[in-house]
Amino acid sequence: MRFGTIEEGAGTTVVVQASPEDAAVMPYPDLDAMLAAPEAQWRSAATTALASGEVRPVASLSWLPPVRRPGKVLCVALNNSANPDRIMRGPSTPAMFVKPSSSLVGHGRPIVVKEAYGRVHPEPELAVVIGRGGTDIAVGDALAHVFGYTIINDLTSPTMRDADTFHYRAIHPDPESPDGIRYVDSWVSYPARYKGADTFGPLGPWVSTRDEIPDPHALRITCTHDGALVTDDNTANLRFSVAEVISFASEYLTLEPGDVIAMGTALQRSARGGAVQNVDLTRLGGVIEVSIEGIGTLSNPVERR
Amino acid sequence: MRFGTIEEGAGTTVVVQASPEDAAVMPYPDLDAMLAAPEAQWRSAATTALASGEVRPVASLSWLPPVRRPGKVLCVALNNSANPDRIMRGPSTPAMFVKPSSSLVGHGRPIVVKEAYGRVHPEPELAVVIGRGGTDIAVGDALAHVFGYTIINDLTSPTMRDADTFHYRAIHPDPESPDGIRYVDSWVSYPARYKGADTFGPLGPWVSTRDEIPDPHALRITCTHDGALVTDDNTANLRFSVAEVISFASEYLTLEPGDVIAMGTALQRSARGGAVQNVDLTRLGGVIEVSIEGIGTLSNPVERR
């Protein structure tokens, strides 16, 4: 099944896909609420909604992020094997940051970029929605914690990233003396602005439930700008798998139902050349689309302010 | 007034301080719910709760983070003037990261550290709880968006910080050619683990409403480890003020009621010497307390696993 969250009158509702053209209304305001209910309950509600025959055209829907206020949007950085030679030094485990829920927007909504942001580029990614929470989840059990798969455009401003990077002398304890300190030349960067600005997290439109995606590592993923192909990649190229990331993350951060994990940018360039970094939305505007096989297409126009 | 959130039977409730020894029960499960209600409503509920005379001893309370699931915990990095000479290159505006709500724990709850975390040290900080949300908030209006002030211990693992730092060749567009790229030697670090692990965000116990704290930049803030003073600082030493941080952050990230802003570490060392970096909780265990004048004391034992 495929679920999404839409505006409905003055409120919001979950919809379930009835056909490529039609969706039926579910009795939950958003996936956050649906995932707080037992699976048997929402599966039964979906069966009832689909059997009712009361559907509305998908083309008329006003989309919201399917999960509206996840506890966390955990994003894996540099998780592709396209350019391993680019990393001179880095961890041998998934490196992650958190995007705030206030950065999420639905399919069709504008990505707002301001002159002050400097360069802003898209990053097409597979996103996992957690159905069952947990801590210290084993790799072998990890996929059972997945509710489904969706699409995220992990917008990034390299200008703000550079601005919010410090080269500084970090305070380290002096191993020679219990109260002594020494300075260590360090670099540290902080992602709240460059990854978390408003509208920097288009998500959706549909979440395909786990059973619809037998292998999350065999999906073509493409990104287009104004219809021109920018990247053409496959989730087979992810360095750390969905199960490995869930397991590793849950050793440190308890996963909760509705949490979203962005699996890292599919950045293999299309035959045309170019890279996501060439698509400066602040300068170019336009429409960005990310498509993943078996899940759908996430399309957002850019609004320059 | 001062508010907190506690466990109550099988659920949770907001309490309002009636005296240093007693607290009255409010009709909201947590501050998240209370701050979704109009201010006139919760002020009236507090008056009723305090007038009822039905109180319970503060010493018997089982504390939770006052806001249990904020949309974001936005943390300002390196926001002190104690060591400006440490920064060789850095932004002239507040640099920020996001801690997930799953990292928050209440007063009295254990800070859990695991051998695999490496070094973990405390960071004593003033925290702001947003009452009224907003975007593009002017500096002069910013304090009117504050619900109150509380205490956060922004626990940090420098070992995981070093592990999750990349030295790599970032892809930049080539200014000479629209589809060309060039590589730029860069450093980037990702804070989800080292700042966001479970229990890395003790918060509370009380939130003092804005009217109780006429000047948030004149508060003594201390940190002790097993009773020994580690840092002795004052919020006067913050580089960017509460109003400046709220205004700057809201230009990029919409602030929502219940959002928490951690103002940066008060790291001025006590006369005894030592620094927060010397207090490796993974090795030392013990009890960490952070006290802020006019707000209270946040105390957490360390549990080593």
Side-chain angles (χ1 to χ4, degrees):
Chain A
M1 287 189 279
R2 291 182 185 184
F3 295 94
T5 300
I6 60 161
E7 286 190 321
E8 171 80 350
T12 73
T13 187
V14 173
V15 286
V16 56
Q17 198 181 64
S19 77
E21 289 78 34
D22 292 302
V25 171
M26 295 277 292
Y28 303 100
D30 48 38
L31 277 189
D32 316 53
M34 190 176 109
L35 292 176
E39 177 162 347
Q41 190 185 95
W42 60 253
R43 283 207 179 265
S44 153
T47 306
T48 306
L50 291 168
S52 77
E54 274 184 49
V55 293
R56 52 195 68 189
V58 165
S60 72
L61 302 180
S62 174
W63 296 90
L64 295 169
V67 198
R68 300 192 64 207
R69 205 165 176 282
K72 52 186 165 293
V73 180
L74 201 53
C75 305
V76 188
L78 292 161
N79 190 30
N80 56 74
S81 60
N83 278 315
D85 58 312
R86 286 170 56 214
I87 300 173
M88 289 174 269
R89 190 206 120 184
S92 54
T93 51
M96 303 172 292
F97 61 93
V98 173
K99 245 171 141 97
S101 58
S102 53
S103 67
L104 301 177
V105 286
H107 170 65
R109 303 290 163 125
I111 295 164
V112 177
V113 294
K114 302 179 186 176
E115 197 71 29
Y117 291 178
R119 288 196 292 127
V120 174
H121 66 245
E123 296 198 351
E125 306 192 10
L126 174 69
V128 177
V129 179
I130 296 296
R132 185 153 54 86
T135 302
D136 292 329
I137 298 167
V139 172
D141 298 335
L143 293 186
H145 290 258
V146 173
F147 164 68
Y149 299 95
T150 187
I151 305 169
I152 193 166
N153 188 345
D154 174 24
L155 286 149
T156 302
S157 162
T159 305
M160 293 198 278
R161 181 182 63 213
D162 292 351
D164 289 350
T165 297
F166 288 86
H167 186 195
Y168 78 123
R169 299 189 296 145
I171 298 172
H172 283 231
D174 181 351
E176 314 268 300
S177 137
D179 282 340
I181 59 167
R182 63 199 174 91
Y183 292 109
V184 177
D185 188 314
S186 303
W187 296 81
V188 67
S189 52
Y190 294 103
R193 281 201 305 163
Y194 85 79
K195 286 288 196 183
D198 290 351
T199 78
F200 271 30
L203 188 74
W206 295 110
V207 183
S208 293
T209 51
R210 185 176 78 240
D211 49 292
E212 301 253 323
I213 309 289
D215 182 0
H217 300 104
L219 308 175
R220 186 181 178 203
I221 170 167
T222 57
C223 176
T224 65
H225 177 241
D226 285 344
L229 200 60
V230 180
T231 58
D232 188 353
D233 207 333
N234 193 291
T235 55
N237 293 325
L238 290 172
R239 182 179 172 209
F240 297 106
S241 70
V242 171
E244 286 166 343
V245 168
I246 288 174
S247 175
F248 181 78
S250 76
E251 283 179 45
Y252 300 88
L253 300 94
T254 294
L255 295 178
E256 298 166 333
D259 278 357
V260 174
I261 301 180
M263 286 297 299
T265 310
L267 51 62
Q268 200 150 263
R269 287 189 266 171
S270 73
R272 162 187 168 251
V276 292
Q277 289 85 354
N278 293 110
V279 183
D280 176 7
L281 302 177
T282 311
R283 191 168 55 82
L284 301 171
V287 175
I288 283 288
E289 291 196 351
V290 181
S291 298
I292 304 184
E293 204 181 340
I295 304 177
T297 295
L298 170 68
S299 176
N300 298 86
V302 175
E303 182 183 323
R304 287 180 287 176
R305 283 205 188 140
Chain B
M1 287 189 279
R2 291 181 184 185
F3 295 95
T5 300
I6 60 162
E7 286 190 322
E8 171 82 350
T12 72
T13 188
V14 172
V15 287
V16 55
Q17 198 181 61
S19 78
E21 288 78 34
D22 293 302
V25 171
M26 295 276 293
Y28 302 100
D30 47 38
L31 277 189
D32 316 52
M34 190 176 108
L35 291 175
E39 177 163 346
Q41 189 186 96
W42 58 255
R43 284 208 178 264
S44 153
T47 306
T48 306
L50 291 168
S52 78
E54 273 184 48
V55 293
R56 52 195 67 189
V58 166
S60 72
L61 302 180
S62 175
W63 295 90
L64 295 169
V67 197
R68 299 192 65 206
R69 206 167 175 282
K72 53 186 163 295
V73 180
L74 201 54
C75 304
V76 188
L78 293 161
N79 190 30
N80 56 75
S81 61
N83 278 314
D85 59 312
R86 287 169 55 212
I87 300 172
M88 290 174 269
R89 191 207 119 185
S92 54
T93 51
M96 304 171 292
F97 60 92
V98 173
K99 243 171 142 98
S101 58
S102 53
S103 66
L104 300 177
V105 286
H107 171 65
R109 303 290 164 127
I111 296 163
V112 177
V113 293
K114 302 179 187 176
E115 196 70 29
Y117 291 179
R119 288 195 292 126
V120 174
H121 66 245
E123 296 197 351
E125 305 191 12
L126 174 69
V128 177
V129 179
I130 296 295
R132 185 152 55 85
T135 303
D136 292 328
I137 299 167
V139 172
D141 298 335
L143 294 187
H145 289 259
V146 172
F147 164 68
Y149 299 95
T150 187
I151 305 169
I152 193 166
N153 188 345
D154 173 25
L155 287 150
T156 303
S157 162
T159 305
M160 292 197 279
R161 182 182 63 211
D162 292 350
D164 289 350
T165 297
F166 289 85
H167 185 195
Y168 78 122
R169 299 189 295 146
I171 298 172
H172 283 230
D174 181 350
E176 315 269 300
S177 137
D179 283 340
I181 58 166
R182 63 198 174 91
Y183 292 109
V184 177
D185 188 314
S186 303
W187 296 80
V188 66
S189 52
Y190 294 103
R193 282 202 303 163
Y194 85 79
K195 286 289 195 182
D198 290 351
T199 78
F200 272 29
L203 188 75
W206 295 111
V207 183
S208 293
T209 51
R210 186 176 77 239
D211 49 293
E212 300 253 324
I213 309 288
D215 182 0
H217 301 104
L219 308 174
R220 185 179 179 205
I221 171 168
T222 57
C223 176
T224 66
H225 177 240
D226 285 345
L229 200 62
V230 179
T231 58
D232 188 353
D233 207 332
N234 194 291
T235 56
N237 292 325
L238 289 172
R239 182 179 172 209
F240 298 107
S241 71
V242 170
E244 286 166 343
V245 168
I246 288 173
S247 175
F248 180 77
S250 76
E251 282 179 46
Y252 301 89
L253 300 93
T254 294
L255 296 178
E256 299 167 332
D259 278 357
V260 174
I261 302 180
M263 286 297 299
T265 310
L267 52 60
Q268 200 150 266
R269 287 188 265 172
S270 73
R272 163 185 168 252
V276 292
Q277 289 85 354
N278 293 111
V279 183
D280 176 8
L281 302 178
T282 310
R283 192 167 54 83
L284 301 170
V287 175
I288 284 288
E289 290 196 352
V290 181
S291 298
I292 305 184
E293 205 180 339
I295 304 177
T297 295
L298 171 67
S299 176
N300 297 86
V302 175
E303 182 182 322
R304 288 181 285 176
R305 284 209 186 138

